[in-house]
C-alpha cells in the first residue's frame, strides 16, 4: 500500500487502520497513536500562521544569498553570534563595515542588503562569524553553491546567479509499473580513471540506463561533502549540489534529459547525520555546537563519526523540511531515498539491537522527535509533488514505515528489503549448491509486511565497497580476470554466470513494489569500489565503471547485461506486475525445484547443480504456455539445452478438473530458470 497522495496528519477519531490490519500491534496501540498524535500536533503548530506545511518549508527562499530586484540580500540564522561580516572576492577577503550583517530579530536572524553591482555571479564568499570567546570563517548553512579550490582544497560559497538561468523543458510523472531503480554515482559512472561530471553522465551514461530498461535513477552523493571517499554521506552543505561533478545548471540539464527519456530521478537524501567539519559544515556556525545538533552524548554518532540532528527543535525541522522542498522545486527531483532511517529511529541508532519481536519496536528506545520529523517530511514531499517517490533505508523492520500517514504509518512509499542482499551473501558464503533449498529461498524473498511496498534488490553499493564483494565476485572471484573470455570459461565461470542470472530473476520476480540494481552490477562489474585515499595512493582505478568490458562482445559481461534487459522486459509483460499476487505452484526441496506465478507469467527455477529434469510435472492453471525468458539461452551465455520455440499445453487431471488446474510437463536443465506466459 503506497502513500495516499492526499495524506494529511490529523488526530485520529478511531483506531488507526495499521492497528486494525495487524492484531499483533494491538498491545502497542497507545505508543503508535501517541507518535501519530505527536506528529499531528507538531504539524498543526508549525502551520498555524502559514496555512500549509509547504508554506512553512520555504526557508531556502528567505535564508541564504538572493538577488531581489536591484539588491542582494543574505540572511543567516545564528542566535549565538555577536557579529557577522560577509567576506569574499568583493571585499578582498577583508572585514569591512559596509559588509557587516545586522541582527534583525530576537530569533537570531542576521541580514545584509547590498546594491546589485557590488556582487557578481561566480564570486566566492564566506561569513566571518564572531561569538563570545571565539570567531571563525563559515560557509552559510543555506548556501546553494559551494566550490573547492584545487590548490588549497579550501571550500567557499560561490555566488550563483547566471545571466540566463536554466529552464526545464520537460514535464514529468514517474511510472511505477513497476519501478525499476538504477542506483548510481555521478563521479564514478565513467570509464576513465577520474571524477565524472553531470554532463558526462547525461550524454554517456543516461542512454545506457534507458537502453537497459530502467525507469528511475537513484543518484548518490548530490549534497556537497568535503571528503569524496565518504560516498556523499558526510554532508556539509545541504542545499548545494556537489561541485565536483559540475554546475547546478548541468545537474538540472541531467535531470531534464532523464525526464525526456521517461526516467525518474530520486536523490539519496542524508538527513540522518552531518559531517563534523566546522569550517565546511554546520556543526558550529556561531560558537554553539548544539544549534542544529544534540548536546552531550547524543551529539556524536560514534560509528559514523558524524553529528546527529536534534529533531526536537522547530528550527531543525524547518531547515530539513525546507531542504526537501528545495530539491523538489529547484531541481525537479522526483523524490528521495532517505538514508540511515534506522539510525534516526532509535537512540542506539540500531547498533546492538536484535529486533526479534514487536517489543523491540516499542520499548521506549525510539526517538519520537525523529519519527515525527519523518512523518512530517513525507507529508510535505507529497504535498509539494503528489507523484513524488519516497524510500526508507530501514533495516530494523519497524512496522508502518511504508504505510500511509492516514493509516498511522510513517508515510514512505517504499522501504528497502534489506534482508535480501544479506541473505544472498549468507547463502553464497555458507551453503553448498546442494543446500540451496527453494523453500527457504522463496520464503526469504517474500517475507515482508503485506501492507507495505518494498524495494527488492540483490545488492546495492553497500555490497560493492572495498572489503566486501559483489555477488559475481563471490561466485567467480579470480577466474573473472583470466577466464571470462567467451570460449575460455571454466566450470567456476559457468556456475557463476548461471547463478548470477537466477539470483537476479528470483529477486526481481518476487518483488512487491520495486526492484533496484547498482550501477554496473547488471553486467557483473568486476572488483569493488574504492575511492581515492592515502591507502591506495589516491588512485581512481576502482572508483569508476568499466563499460568497455560490457561492450566487448568477446567477453562474457554482455551476456549478463543482455539478460538483465530481457528480464525487465519480461516483467513488464504483466500490467501492474508489482501488485499481482505471488502464487506458489510447486516447491520441492529434494529436487531443488521452485515454481510460482504472477498474473499470466509462470516462473520455474531448478537450483539443482547437477540434475536436469525431463518431463517434470508442475500443477498450474490449465492452458497453453510459451517460453518468454530462459536463463539457459545461448543469448545469455547458457547452454541452450531446451527448445524455447515449443508451445507447452497442460495435461488434464480429473482430480483437479473443478479447480481448472492441470499438469505442465517441462524439461528443466540443471541450474537454470525459465519464464513462461500463459496464453
Amino acid at each position: 500500500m503506497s502513500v495516499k497522495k492526499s495524506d494529511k496528519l490529523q488526530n485520529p477519531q478511531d483506531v488507526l487502520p495499521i492497528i486494525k490490519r495487524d492484531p499483533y500491534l494491538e498491545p502497542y496501540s497507545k505508543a503508535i497513536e501517541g507518535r501519530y498524535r505527536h506528529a499531528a500536533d507538531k504539524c498543526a503548530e508549525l502551520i498555524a500562521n502559514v496555512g500549509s506545511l509547504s508554506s512553512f518549508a520555504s526557508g531556502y527562499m528567505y535564508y541564504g544569498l538572493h538577488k531581489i530586484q536591484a539588491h542582494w540580500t543574505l540572511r543567516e540564522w545564528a542566535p549565538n553570534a555577536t557579529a557577522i561580516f560577509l567576506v569574499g572576492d568583493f571585499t578582498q577577503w577583508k572585514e569591512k563595515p559596509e559588509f557587516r550583517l545586522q541582527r534583525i530579530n530576537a530569533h537570531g536572524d542576521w541580514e545584509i542588503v547590498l546594491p546589485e553591482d557590488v556582487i557578481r555571479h561566480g564570486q566566492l564568499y564566506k561569513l566571518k562569524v564572531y561569538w563570545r570567546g571565539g570567531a571563525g570563517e563559515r560557509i552559510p548553512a543555506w548556501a546553494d553553491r559551494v566550490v573547492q579550490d584545487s590548490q588549497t582544497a579550501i571550500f567557499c560559497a560561490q555566488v550563483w546567479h547566471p545571466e540566463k538561468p536554466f529552464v526545464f523543458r520537460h514535464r514529468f510523472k514517474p511510472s511505477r509499473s513497476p519501478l525499476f531503480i538504477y542506483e548510481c554515482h555521478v563521479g564514478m559512472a565513467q570509464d576513465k580513471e577520474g571524477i565524472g561530471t553531470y554532463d558526462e553522465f547525461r550524454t554517456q551514461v543516461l542512454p545506457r540506463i534507458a537502453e537497459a530498461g530502467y525507469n528511475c535513477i537513484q543518484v548518490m552523493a548530490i549534497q556537497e561533502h568535503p571528503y569524496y571517499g565518504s560516498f556523499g554521506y558526510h554532508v556539509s552543505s545541504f542545499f548545494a549540489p556537489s561541485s565536483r561533478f559540475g554546475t547546478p545548471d548541468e545537474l538540472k540539464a541531467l535531470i531534464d534529459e532523464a525526464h525526456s527519456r521517461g526516467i525518474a530521478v530520486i536523490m539519496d537524501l542524508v538527513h540522518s547525520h552531518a559531517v563534523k567539519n566546522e569550517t565546511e559544515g554546520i556543526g558550529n556556525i556561531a560558537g554553539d555546537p548544539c544549534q542544529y545538533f544534540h548536546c552531550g552524548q547524543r551529539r556524536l554518532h560514534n560509528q559514523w563519526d558524524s553529528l546527529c540532528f536534534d529533531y526536537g527543535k522547530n528550527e531543525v525541522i524547518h531547515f530539513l523540511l525546507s531542504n526537501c522542498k528545495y530539491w523538489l522545486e529547484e531541481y525537479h527531483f522526483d523524490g528521495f531515498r532517505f538514508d540511515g532511517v534506522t539510525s534516526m529511529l532509535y537512540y542506539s541508532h540500531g547498533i546492538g539491537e536484535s529486533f526479534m519481536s514487536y517489543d523491540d519496536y516499542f520499548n521506549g528506545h525510539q526517538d519520537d522527535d525523529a519519527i515525527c520529523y519523518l512523518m512530517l517530511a513525507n507529508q510535505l514531499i507529497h504535498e509539494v509533488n503528489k507523484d513524488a517517490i519516497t524510500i526508507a533505508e530501514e533495516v530494523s523492520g519497524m512496522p508502518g514505515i511504508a504505510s500511509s500517514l492516514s493509516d498511522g504509518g510513517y508515510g514512505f512509499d517504499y522501504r528497502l528489503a534489506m534482508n535480501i542482499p544479506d541473505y544472498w551473501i549468507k547463502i553464497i558464503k555458507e551453503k553448498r549448491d546442494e543446500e540451496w533449498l527453494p523453500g527457504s529461498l522463496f520464503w526469504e524473498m517474500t517475507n515482508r509486511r503485506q501492507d507495505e511496498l518494498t524495494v527488492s534488490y540483490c545488492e546495492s553499493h553497500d555490497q560493492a565497497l572495498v572489503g566486501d564483494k559483489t555477488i559475481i565476485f563471490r561466485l567467480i572471484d579470480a577466474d573473472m580476470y583470466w577466464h571470462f573470455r567467451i570460449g575460455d570459461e571454466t566450470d567456476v565461470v559457468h556456475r557463476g554466470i548461471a547463478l548470477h542470472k537466477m539470483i537476479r530473476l528470483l529477486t526481481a520476480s518476487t518483488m512487491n513494489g520495486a526492484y533496484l540494481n547498482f550501477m554496473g552490477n547488471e553486467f557483473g562489474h568486476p572488483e569493488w569500489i574504492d575511492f581515492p585515499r592515502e591507502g591506495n595512493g589516491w588512485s581512481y582505478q576502482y572508483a569508476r565503471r568499466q563499460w568497455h568490458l560490457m561492450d566487448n562482445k568477446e567477453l562474457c559481461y554482455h551476456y549478463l547485461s543482455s539478460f538483465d534487459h530481457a528480464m525487465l522486459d519480461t516483467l513488464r509483460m504483466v500490467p501492474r506486475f508489482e501488485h499481482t499476487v505471488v502464487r506458489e505452484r510447486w516447491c520441492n526441496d529434494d529436487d531443488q525445484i521452485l515454481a510460482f506465478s504472477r498474473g499470466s507469467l509462470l516462473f520455474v527455477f531448478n537450483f539443482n547443480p547437477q540434475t536436469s529434469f525431463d518431463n517434470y510435472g508442475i500443477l498450474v492453471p490449465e492452458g497453453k504456455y510459451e517460453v518468454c525468458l530462459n536463463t539457459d539461452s545461448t543469448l545469455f551465455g547458457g547452454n541452450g539445452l531446451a527448445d524455447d520455440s515449443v508451445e507447452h499445453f497442460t495435461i488434464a487431471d480429473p482430480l483437479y478438473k473443478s479447480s481448472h488446474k492441470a499438469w505442465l510437463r517441462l524439461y528443466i536443465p540443471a541450474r537454470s530458470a525459465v519464464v513462461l506466459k500463459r496464453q
Side-chain angles (χ1 to χ4, degrees):
M1 180 180 295
S2 60
V3 172
K4 297 175 182 177
K5 301 312 173 190
S6 60
D7 252 0
K8 298 288 183 183
L9 283 161
Q10 51 190 356
N11 279 309
Q13 305 301 313
D14 193 9
V15 177
L16 290 166
I18 188 176
I19 300 172
K20 291 181 179 180
R21 286 197 302 266
D22 185 351
Y24 291 104
L25 288 175
E26 176 59 36
Y28 314 99
S29 58
K30 288 186 178 180
I32 296 171
E33 290 172 357
R35 294 175 185 178
Y36 186 90
R37 291 180 188 278
H38 175 44
D41 290 344
K42 177 59 68 174
C43 182
E45 174 192 340
L46 298 178
I47 70 174
N49 297 319
V50 293
S52 71
L53 210 53
S54 179
S55 297
F56 171 78
S58 298
Y60 63 93
M61 299 178 186
Y62 178 80
Y63 294 106
L65 180 65
H66 301 279
K67 190 173 184 182
I68 303 172
Q69 296 179 345
H71 295 86
W72 290 96
T73 300
L74 184 145
R75 299 187 187 95
E76 184 76 11
W77 176 56
N80 202 52
T82 57
I84 303 178
F85 289 87
L86 177 63
V87 296
D89 294 337
F90 37 81
T91 70
Q92 293 75 51
W93 295 97
K94 298 178 181 178
E95 298 172 26
K96 296 184 177 181
E98 60 269 33
F99 286 89
R100 180 168 181 159
L101 279 69
Q102 301 299 314
R103 185 165 182 147
I104 59 175
N105 55 40
H107 180 250
D109 292 335
W110 295 74
E111 178 186 79
I112 186 171
V113 180
L114 296 166
E116 64 177 336
D117 60 354
V118 172
I119 300 175
R120 298 191 310 277
H121 169 70
Q123 289 185 313
L124 304 179
Y125 68 97
K126 283 188 175 183
L127 298 177
K128 182 61 179 292
V129 185
Y130 288 86
W131 57 86
R132 290 182 181 84
E137 287 190 349
R138 297 290 186 263
I139 294 174
W142 299 78
D144 58 7
R145 169 74 168 163
V146 175
V147 296
Q148 183 180 27
D149 186 278
S150 59
Q151 300 300 317
T152 64
I154 294 174
F155 283 85
C156 290
Q158 185 179 46
V159 179
W160 191 258
H161 197 279
E163 186 176 341
K164 293 183 178 180
F166 183 86
V167 177
F168 286 93
R169 296 180 294 116
H170 299 97
R171 297 178 63 85
F172 183 74
K173 179 180 179 180
S175 169
R176 306 193 191 195
S177 292
L179 189 66
F180 292 135
I181 304 172
Y182 198 85
E183 185 186 31
C184 51
H185 183 286
V186 170
M188 57 169 287
Q190 77 301 321
D191 211 320
K192 70 181 182 184
E193 294 189 27
I195 299 177
T197 67
Y198 297 125
D199 276 349
E200 287 174 333
F201 191 96
R202 174 176 58 83
T203 59
Q204 299 174 22
V205 182
L206 263 181
R208 291 182 180 272
I209 297 171
E211 174 62 25
Y214 289 86
N215 57 10
C216 177
I217 56 175
Q218 178 183 302
V219 192
M220 307 172 65
I222 291 298
Q223 295 166 294
E224 191 60 85
H225 46 289
Y227 179 46
Y228 187 47
S230 75
F231 229 143
Y233 290 118
H234 277 189
V235 174
S236 52
S237 295
F238 286 78
F239 292 84
S242 179
S243 60
R244 289 181 182 84
F245 314 135
T247 69
D249 287 5
E250 288 165 349
L251 173 58
K252 292 176 181 179
L254 186 164
I255 295 170
D256 201 37
E257 175 68 18
H259 288 167
S260 75
R261 293 177 175 272
I263 298 174
V265 186
I266 61 177
M267 175 179 166
D268 206 342
L269 189 71
V270 184
H271 281 181
S272 48
H273 60 133
V275 74
K276 290 196 318 185
N277 305 35
E278 294 186 355
T279 55
E280 293 91 1
I282 61 173
N284 187 6
I285 290 288
D288 179 8
C290 303
Q291 181 175 331
Y292 287 98
F293 306 98
H294 283 294
C295 294
Q297 292 183 341
R298 295 190 64 193
R299 173 174 164 78
L300 183 66
H301 193 304
N302 291 320
Q303 193 171 71
W304 293 349
D305 194 33
S306 54
L307 303 179
C308 300
F309 284 106
D310 183 350
Y311 305 102
K313 291 183 177 179
N314 287 356
E315 292 86 355
V316 172
I317 295 176
H318 182 238
F319 180 79
L320 296 176
L321 289 182
S322 296
N323 194 235
C324 295
K325 182 179 177 181
Y326 169 77
W327 293 109
L328 293 171
E329 295 277 90
E330 185 67 21
Y331 285 87
H332 290 202
F333 276 97
D334 299 296
F336 307 100
R337 177 261 202 190
F338 276 69
D339 175 68
V341 170
T342 304
S343 177
M344 298 171 69
L345 295 180
Y346 303 95
Y347 294 132
S348 66
H349 305 300
I351 301 169
E353 302 273 3
S354 60
F355 304 116
M356 298 298 292
S357 71
Y358 279 27
D359 286 343
D360 298 320
Y361 303 124
F362 305 100
N363 59 8
H365 298 172
Q366 293 74 36
D367 187 342
D368 286 347
D369 289 331
I371 291 171
C372 174
Y373 166 68
L374 291 171
M375 295 170 78
L376 292 170
N378 274 295
Q379 175 170 318
L380 165 76
I381 291 164
H382 292 102
E383 187 177 308
V384 174
N385 179 0
K386 64 183 179 63
D387 298 309
I389 299 163
T390 59
I391 302 170
E393 187 213 22
E394 207 289 297
V395 71
S396 77
M398 170 70 79
I401 284 289
S403 291
S404 66
L405 293 171
S406 57
D407 281 359
Y410 293 25
F412 285 97
D413 292 296
Y414 305 88
R415 68 189 310 156
L416 288 180
M418 300 183 73
N419 62 300
I420 294 178
D422 290 343
Y423 177 75
W424 284 124
I425 291 173
K426 180 179 177 64
I427 197 170
I428 292 171
K429 287 175 61 176
E430 300 178 4
K431 300 290 186 181
R432 297 181 298 111
D433 290 6
E434 292 79 6
E435 297 174 323
W436 288 35
L437 303 182
S440 297
L441 295 170
F442 187 66
W443 186 88
E444 196 68 37
M445 296 302 112
T446 57
N447 176 28
R448 56 213 174 202
R449 299 185 66 82
Q450 295 306 306
D451 58 345
E452 300 187 34
L453 296 181
T454 57
V455 178
S456 294
Y457 63 108
C458 313
E459 53 189 341
S460 67
H461 71 276
D462 286 329
Q463 287 74 44
L465 291 170
V466 64
D468 207 336
K469 290 183 179 180
T470 59
I471 286 177
I472 197 69
F473 230 59
R474 289 185 184 278
L475 292 170
I476 302 177
D477 214 275
D479 276 24
M480 290 195 75
Y481 295 117
W482 312 111
H483 298 286
F484 226 58
R485 185 170 295 276
I486 296 174
D488 187 40
E489 305 96 328
T490 60
D491 288 343
V492 171
V493 170
H494 283 301
R495 170 186 178 269
I497 289 176
L499 288 177
H500 195 261
K501 291 178 289 186
M502 296 178 71
I503 287 169
R504 282 183 287 159
L505 179 60
L506 182 58
T507 305
S509 60
T510 52
M511 67 176 172
N512 76 323
Y515 173 71
L516 177 143
N517 166 72
F518 178 66
M519 176 175 62
N521 286 352
E522 73 277 10
F523 67 86
H525 195 283
E527 300 168 331
W528 48 86
I529 299 167
D530 189 14
F531 283 90
R533 55 187 173 84
E534 187 176 0
N536 64 16
W538 303 103
S539 169
Y540 288 90
Q541 180 180 354
Y542 299 112
R544 60 188 179 120
R545 297 286 88 179
Q546 300 180 60
W547 301 106
H548 67 276
L549 297 175
M550 185 189 74
D551 294 338
N552 188 341
K553 300 303 181 184
E554 296 182 357
L555 302 178
C556 295
Y557 297 98
H558 78 276
Y559 286 145
L560 299 175
S561 175
S562 297
F563 172 77
D564 200 77
H565 184 276
M567 178 182 74
L568 300 188
D569 281 349
T570 300
L571 300 184
R572 285 194 180 92
M573 289 181 177
V574 176
R576 292 175 59 81
F577 175 85
E578 71 281 12
H579 293 294
T580 59
V581 178
V582 183
R583 299 187 186 278
E584 182 181 320
R585 298 298 180 182
W586 197 263
C587 184
N588 187 312
D589 282 348
D590 291 334
D591 295 339
Q592 294 182 269
I593 296 288
L594 170 69
F596 58 90
S597 63
R598 300 197 71 169
S600 59
L601 295 182
L602 175 68
F603 300 84
V604 183
F605 292 80
N606 179 7
F607 282 97
N608 198 301
Q610 295 178 332
T611 305
S612 297
F613 294 96
D614 190 20
N615 206 31
Y616 197 95
I618 300 171
L619 195 62
V620 298
E622 59 188 11
K624 181 178 75 171
Y625 289 78
E626 295 180 355
V627 174
C628 50
L629 182 68
N630 192 337
T631 65
D632 194 48
S633 168
T634 56
L635 295 173
F636 313 133
N639 298 308
L641 297 177
D643 184 354
D644 292 338
S645 65
V646 173
E647 295 178 337
H648 300 271
F649 294 86
T650 55
I651 302 170
D653 187 329
L655 291 175
Y656 301 101
K657 184 177 181 180
S658 61
S659 63
H660 303 287
K661 292 181 180 179
W663 292 100
L664 188 67
R665 299 287 180 177
L666 299 173
Y667 171 60
I668 319 172
R671 203 179 274 142
S672 73
V674 62
V675 185
L676 303 100
K677 191 175 191 336
R678 181 170 176 258
Q679 303 303 314

